[in-house]
Amino acid sequence: MSNNFNAVAFAERLENGGFTDAQAKALASALWELVDSQLATKSDLAALEARLTAAIAGCRAEFTTAINASRAEFIMAINALRAEFTTAINALRMEVTMEVIASRAESKTDLADAKAELLEKINEVHINLLKLKSELIMWIVSLVIVQTGVTAVLFKFLH
């Protein structure tokens, strides 16, 4: 540790102020030991800053990786749900088409009943889609909030 404390000049000032030579030397020596062993230098602080900067960069990289992984998982989940809903909608369309073909020979009342069932099923699918959309939005907002908090903490560490 390299400090700019001048023990001799300090002892001389104490002697000029009324301390005895022994008192001045003892106080200067004790103060020198304190300064030399306890106070951080600019280079100590610079080294600490470099270590903290590296640690923060590592944390930032970890968080970025985790966020990207979560984003990829969400995209995969959304694509899986999309495929599932497409299959369900196609199955419903097929079912309705078969019902319509079979019921063409039936009366207009039977046709109206089939249409009502179809609308109810489509509404159920639509409601389920809206619920899933809401849940996905909540997840995304939560991730944005977490990312914002992490960014704020990292920003605070940097300043």
mmCIF file of all heavy atoms in Angstrom, residues 77-106:
data_model
loop_
_atom_site.group_PDB
_atom_site.id
_atom_site.type_symbol
_atom_site.label_atom_id
_atom_site.label_comp_id
_atom_site.label_asym_id
_atom_site.label_seq_id
_atom_site.Cartn_x
_atom_site.Cartn_y
_atom_site.Cartn_z
ATOM 1 N N ALA A 77 -43.718 -22.568 -26.007
ATOM 2 C CA ALA A 77 -45.031 -22.827 -25.412
ATOM 3 C C ALA A 77 -46.139 -22.200 -26.248
ATOM 4 O O ALA A 77 -47.195 -22.816 -26.472
ATOM 5 C CB ALA A 77 -45.069 -22.291 -23.977
ATOM 6 N N ILE A 78 -45.919 -20.993 -26.720
ATOM 7 C CA ILE A 78 -46.925 -20.321 -27.556
ATOM 8 C C ILE A 78 -47.129 -21.088 -28.852
ATOM 9 O O ILE A 78 -48.273 -21.298 -29.282
ATOM 10 C CB ILE A 78 -46.494 -18.858 -27.842
ATOM 11 C CG1 ILE A 78 -46.613 -18.019 -26.567
ATOM 12 C CG2 ILE A 78 -47.329 -18.248 -28.958
ATOM 13 C CD1 ILE A 78 -45.977 -16.643 -26.666
ATOM 14 N N ASN A 79 -46.037 -21.535 -29.464
ATOM 15 C CA ASN A 79 -46.161 -22.303 -30.708
ATOM 16 C C ASN A 79 -46.880 -23.629 -30.480
ATOM 17 O O ASN A 79 -47.687 -24.058 -31.304
ATOM 18 C CB ASN A 79 -44.787 -22.529 -31.334
ATOM 19 C CG ASN A 79 -44.217 -21.249 -31.919
ATOM 20 O OD1 ASN A 79 -44.968 -20.332 -32.238
ATOM 21 N ND2 ASN A 79 -42.908 -21.172 -32.043
ATOM 22 N N ALA A 80 -46.598 -24.262 -29.343
ATOM 23 C CA ALA A 80 -47.279 -25.515 -29.020
ATOM 24 C C ALA A 80 -48.774 -25.262 -28.821
ATOM 25 O O ALA A 80 -49.615 -26.034 -29.310
ATOM 26 C CB ALA A 80 -46.679 -26.150 -27.771
ATOM 27 N N LEU A 81 -49.108 -24.200 -28.107
ATOM 28 C CA LEU A 81 -50.528 -23.866 -27.910
ATOM 29 C C LEU A 81 -51.198 -23.526 -29.236
ATOM 30 O O LEU A 81 -52.346 -23.912 -29.482
ATOM 31 C CB LEU A 81 -50.670 -22.691 -26.935
ATOM 32 C CG LEU A 81 -50.383 -22.997 -25.477
ATOM 33 C CD1 LEU A 81 -50.363 -21.709 -24.662
ATOM 34 C CD2 LEU A 81 -51.428 -23.955 -24.922
ATOM 35 N N ARG A 82 -50.484 -22.801 -30.068
ATOM 36 C CA ARG A 82 -51.030 -22.445 -31.383
ATOM 37 C C ARG A 82 -51.339 -23.716 -32.182
ATOM 38 O O ARG A 82 -52.410 -23.834 -32.790
ATOM 39 C CB ARG A 82 -50.037 -21.562 -32.126
ATOM 40 C CG ARG A 82 -50.566 -21.035 -33.441
ATOM 41 C CD ARG A 82 -49.575 -20.095 -34.110
ATOM 42 N NE ARG A 82 -49.537 -18.857 -33.358
ATOM 43 C CZ ARG A 82 -48.440 -18.129 -33.165
ATOM 44 N NH1 ARG A 82 -47.291 -18.508 -33.668
ATOM 45 N NH2 ARG A 82 -48.478 -17.011 -32.481
ATOM 46 N N ALA A 83 -50.410 -24.659 -32.183
ATOM 47 C CA ALA A 83 -50.615 -25.914 -32.905
ATOM 48 C C ALA A 83 -51.782 -26.696 -32.308
ATOM 49 O O ALA A 83 -52.612 -27.256 -33.029
ATOM 50 C CB ALA A 83 -49.336 -26.750 -32.875
ATOM 51 N N GLU A 84 -51.840 -26.709 -30.980
ATOM 52 C CA GLU A 84 -52.929 -27.422 -30.301
ATOM 53 C C GLU A 84 -54.289 -26.811 -30.650
ATOM 54 O O GLU A 84 -55.257 -27.517 -30.932
ATOM 55 C CB GLU A 84 -52.680 -27.332 -28.788
ATOM 56 C CG GLU A 84 -53.406 -28.359 -27.964
ATOM 57 C CD GLU A 84 -52.986 -28.270 -26.500
ATOM 58 O OE1 GLU A 84 -51.772 -28.260 -26.214
ATOM 59 O OE2 GLU A 84 -53.899 -28.206 -25.665
ATOM 60 N N PHE A 85 -54.345 -25.483 -30.636
ATOM 61 C CA PHE A 85 -55.606 -24.814 -30.959
ATOM 62 C C PHE A 85 -55.966 -24.986 -32.433
ATOM 63 O O PHE A 85 -57.139 -25.146 -32.770
ATOM 64 C CB PHE A 85 -55.550 -23.332 -30.600
ATOM 65 C CG PHE A 85 -55.698 -23.080 -29.137
ATOM 66 C CD1 PHE A 85 -54.738 -22.352 -28.451
ATOM 67 C CD2 PHE A 85 -56.777 -23.574 -28.429
ATOM 68 C CE1 PHE A 85 -54.862 -22.127 -27.095
ATOM 69 C CE2 PHE A 85 -56.910 -23.355 -27.078
ATOM 70 C CZ PHE A 85 -55.949 -22.627 -26.409
ATOM 71 N N THR A 86 -54.973 -24.971 -33.287
ATOM 72 C CA THR A 86 -55.248 -25.193 -34.709
ATOM 73 C C THR A 86 -55.824 -26.584 -34.921
ATOM 74 O O THR A 86 -56.804 -26.752 -35.657
ATOM 75 C CB THR A 86 -53.949 -25.018 -35.532
ATOM 76 O OG1 THR A 86 -53.459 -23.691 -35.334
ATOM 77 C CG2 THR A 86 -54.189 -25.246 -37.003
ATOM 78 N N THR A 87 -55.247 -27.554 -34.260
ATOM 79 C CA THR A 87 -55.761 -28.920 -34.350
ATOM 80 C C THR A 87 -57.189 -28.998 -33.809
ATOM 81 O O THR A 87 -58.060 -29.615 -34.421
ATOM 82 C CB THR A 87 -54.844 -29.885 -33.565
ATOM 83 O OG1 THR A 87 -53.526 -29.805 -34.099
ATOM 84 C CG2 THR A 87 -55.337 -31.308 -33.653
ATOM 85 N N ALA A 88 -57.412 -28.350 -32.655
ATOM 86 C CA ALA A 88 -58.752 -28.369 -32.066
ATOM 87 C C ALA A 88 -59.762 -27.664 -32.963
ATOM 88 O O ALA A 88 -60.889 -28.149 -33.160
ATOM 89 C CB ALA A 88 -58.728 -27.715 -30.689
ATOM 90 N N ILE A 89 -59.358 -26.545 -33.535
ATOM 91 C CA ILE A 89 -60.272 -25.808 -34.417
ATOM 92 C C ILE A 89 -60.555 -26.615 -35.674
ATOM 93 O O ILE A 89 -61.708 -26.698 -36.123
ATOM 94 C CB ILE A 89 -59.676 -24.421 -34.760
ATOM 95 C CG1 ILE A 89 -59.726 -23.529 -33.518
ATOM 96 C CG2 ILE A 89 -60.417 -23.770 -35.917
ATOM 97 C CD1 ILE A 89 -58.973 -22.222 -33.659
ATOM 98 N N ASN A 90 -59.505 -27.229 -36.227
ATOM 99 C CA ASN A 90 -59.717 -28.069 -37.420
ATOM 100 C C ASN A 90 -60.615 -29.256 -37.096
ATOM 101 O O ASN A 90 -61.469 -29.634 -37.909
ATOM 102 C CB ASN A 90 -58.381 -28.539 -37.988
ATOM 103 C CG ASN A 90 -57.630 -27.409 -38.657
ATOM 104 O OD1 ASN A 90 -58.231 -26.418 -39.068
ATOM 105 N ND2 ASN A 90 -56.318 -27.536 -38.768
ATOM 106 N N ALA A 91 -60.420 -29.842 -35.923
ATOM 107 C CA ALA A 91 -61.278 -30.955 -35.516
ATOM 108 C C ALA A 91 -62.726 -30.473 -35.360
ATOM 109 O O ALA A 91 -63.669 -31.166 -35.784
ATOM 110 C CB ALA A 91 -60.781 -31.560 -34.217
ATOM 111 N N LEU A 92 -62.880 -29.302 -34.755
ATOM 112 C CA LEU A 92 -64.232 -28.746 -34.620
ATOM 113 C C LEU A 92 -64.852 -28.446 -35.983
ATOM 114 O O LEU A 92 -66.039 -28.709 -36.211
ATOM 115 C CB LEU A 92 -64.206 -27.473 -33.769
ATOM 116 C CG LEU A 92 -64.045 -27.653 -32.270
ATOM 117 C CD1 LEU A 92 -63.868 -26.297 -31.594
ATOM 118 C CD2 LEU A 92 -65.254 -28.370 -31.686
ATOM 119 N N ARG A 93 -64.049 -27.892 -36.871
ATOM 120 C CA ARG A 93 -64.560 -27.610 -38.225
ATOM 121 C C ARG A 93 -64.990 -28.897 -38.917
ATOM 122 O O ARG A 93 -66.041 -28.939 -39.570
ATOM 123 C CB ARG A 93 -63.487 -26.910 -39.047
ATOM 124 C CG ARG A 93 -63.320 -25.456 -38.715
ATOM 125 C CD ARG A 93 -62.297 -24.810 -39.618
ATOM 126 N NE ARG A 93 -62.105 -23.420 -39.228
ATOM 127 C CZ ARG A 93 -61.005 -22.729 -39.432
ATOM 128 N NH1 ARG A 93 -59.975 -23.308 -40.015
ATOM 129 N NH2 ARG A 93 -60.925 -21.477 -39.052
ATOM 130 N N MET A 94 -64.153 -29.912 -38.766
ATOM 131 C CA MET A 94 -64.480 -31.195 -39.394
ATOM 132 C C MET A 94 -65.759 -31.764 -38.801
ATOM 133 O O MET A 94 -66.648 -32.237 -39.525
ATOM 134 C CB MET A 94 -63.323 -32.176 -39.217
ATOM 135 C CG MET A 94 -63.548 -33.512 -39.904
ATOM 136 S SD MET A 94 -63.764 -33.358 -41.680
ATOM 137 C CE MET A 94 -62.084 -33.179 -42.180
ATOM 138 N N GLU A 95 -65.836 -31.703 -37.487
ATOM 139 C CA GLU A 95 -67.024 -32.215 -36.799
ATOM 140 C C GLU A 95 -68.272 -31.459 -37.239
ATOM 141 O O GLU A 95 -69.307 -32.053 -37.542
ATOM 142 C CB GLU A 95 -66.825 -32.077 -35.288
ATOM 143 C CG GLU A 95 -67.927 -32.667 -34.448
ATOM 144 C CD GLU A 95 -67.649 -32.491 -32.957
ATOM 145 O OE1 GLU A 95 -66.473 -32.593 -32.553
ATOM 146 O OE2 GLU A 95 -68.619 -32.244 -32.224
ATOM 147 N N VAL A 96 -68.155 -30.150 -37.296
ATOM 148 C CA VAL A 96 -69.298 -29.328 -37.702
ATOM 149 C C VAL A 96 -69.663 -29.589 -39.156
ATOM 150 O O VAL A 96 -70.836 -29.694 -39.507
ATOM 151 C CB VAL A 96 -68.980 -27.829 -37.464
ATOM 152 C CG1 VAL A 96 -70.016 -26.944 -38.119
ATOM 153 C CG2 VAL A 96 -68.907 -27.553 -35.985
ATOM 154 N N THR A 97 -68.631 -29.722 -39.995
ATOM 155 C CA THR A 97 -68.894 -29.998 -41.411
ATOM 156 C C THR A 97 -69.653 -31.317 -41.573
ATOM 157 O O THR A 97 -70.628 -31.400 -42.341
ATOM 158 C CB THR A 97 -67.573 -30.047 -42.196
ATOM 159 O OG1 THR A 97 -66.911 -28.796 -42.045
ATOM 160 C CG2 THR A 97 -67.801 -30.324 -43.658
ATOM 161 N N MET A 98 -69.208 -32.314 -40.821
ATOM 162 C CA MET A 98 -69.895 -33.624 -40.898
ATOM 163 C C MET A 98 -71.331 -33.511 -40.395
ATOM 164 O O MET A 98 -72.252 -34.110 -40.960
ATOM 165 C CB MET A 98 -69.119 -34.670 -40.094
ATOM 166 C CG MET A 98 -67.730 -34.966 -40.644
ATOM 167 S SD MET A 98 -67.716 -35.440 -42.372
ATOM 168 C CE MET A 98 -68.434 -37.058 -42.271
ATOM 169 N N GLU A 99 -71.488 -32.742 -39.330
ATOM 170 C CA GLU A 99 -72.845 -32.563 -38.799
ATOM 171 C C GLU A 99 -73.730 -31.821 -39.796
ATOM 172 O O GLU A 99 -74.903 -32.150 -39.955
ATOM 173 C CB GLU A 99 -72.799 -31.802 -37.472
ATOM 174 C CG GLU A 99 -72.289 -32.616 -36.309
ATOM 175 C CD GLU A 99 -72.245 -31.829 -35.011
ATOM 176 O OE1 GLU A 99 -72.884 -30.755 -34.938
ATOM 177 O OE2 GLU A 99 -71.574 -32.284 -34.082
ATOM 178 N N VAL A 100 -73.164 -30.821 -40.456
ATOM 179 C CA VAL A 100 -73.944 -30.046 -41.418
ATOM 180 C C VAL A 100 -74.345 -30.919 -42.600
ATOM 181 O O VAL A 100 -75.501 -30.884 -43.057
ATOM 182 C CB VAL A 100 -73.149 -28.804 -41.885
ATOM 183 C CG1 VAL A 100 -73.809 -28.130 -43.063
ATOM 184 C CG2 VAL A 100 -73.006 -27.818 -40.738
ATOM 185 N N ILE A 101 -73.384 -31.721 -43.103
ATOM 186 C CA ILE A 101 -73.700 -32.609 -44.232
ATOM 187 C C ILE A 101 -74.788 -33.602 -43.838
ATOM 188 O O ILE A 101 -75.734 -33.863 -44.598
ATOM 189 C CB ILE A 101 -72.430 -33.329 -44.711
ATOM 190 C CG1 ILE A 101 -71.488 -32.316 -45.368
ATOM 191 C CG2 ILE A 101 -72.751 -34.470 -45.662
ATOM 192 C CD1 ILE A 101 -70.114 -32.868 -45.700
ATOM 193 N N ALA A 102 -74.668 -34.154 -42.633
ATOM 194 C CA ALA A 102 -75.658 -35.134 -42.177
ATOM 195 C C ALA A 102 -77.015 -34.497 -41.917
ATOM 196 O O ALA A 102 -78.063 -35.131 -42.097
ATOM 197 C CB ALA A 102 -75.159 -35.815 -40.907
ATOM 198 N N SER A 103 -76.995 -33.220 -41.502
ATOM 199 C CA SER A 103 -78.263 -32.603 -41.122
ATOM 200 C C SER A 103 -78.947 -31.847 -42.258
ATOM 201 O O SER A 103 -80.028 -31.304 -42.066
ATOM 202 C CB SER A 103 -78.044 -31.665 -39.945
ATOM 203 O OG SER A 103 -77.239 -30.575 -40.353
ATOM 204 N N ARG A 104 -78.315 -31.811 -43.463
ATOM 205 C CA ARG A 104 -78.950 -31.113 -44.589
ATOM 206 C C ARG A 104 -80.314 -31.704 -44.919
ATOM 207 O O ARG A 104 -81.204 -30.968 -45.352
ATOM 208 C CB ARG A 104 -78.047 -31.159 -45.820
ATOM 209 C CG ARG A 104 -76.938 -30.159 -45.772
ATOM 210 C CD ARG A 104 -76.151 -30.131 -47.050
ATOM 211 N NE ARG A 104 -75.107 -29.113 -46.960
ATOM 212 C CZ ARG A 104 -74.157 -28.941 -47.833
ATOM 213 N NH1 ARG A 104 -74.080 -29.738 -48.871
ATOM 214 N NH2 ARG A 104 -73.273 -28.002 -47.665
ATOM 215 N N ALA A 105 -80.416 -32.980 -44.706
ATOM 216 C CA ALA A 105 -81.679 -33.639 -45.004
ATOM 217 C C ALA A 105 -82.715 -33.367 -43.925
ATOM 218 O O ALA A 105 -83.907 -33.570 -44.142
ATOM 219 C CB ALA A 105 -81.463 -35.140 -45.171
ATOM 220 N N GLU A 106 -82.251 -32.914 -42.790
ATOM 221 C CA GLU A 106 -83.175 -32.662 -41.678
ATOM 222 C C GLU A 106 -83.818 -31.294 -41.825
ATOM 223 O O GLU A 106 -83.460 -30.500 -42.692
ATOM 224 C CB GLU A 106 -82.423 -32.772 -40.353
ATOM 225 C CG GLU A 106 -81.884 -34.165 -40.089
ATOM 226 C CD GLU A 106 -81.087 -34.243 -38.802
ATOM 227 O OE1 GLU A 106 -81.147 -33.318 -37.979
ATOM 228 O OE2 GLU A 106 -80.400 -35.259 -38.641
#
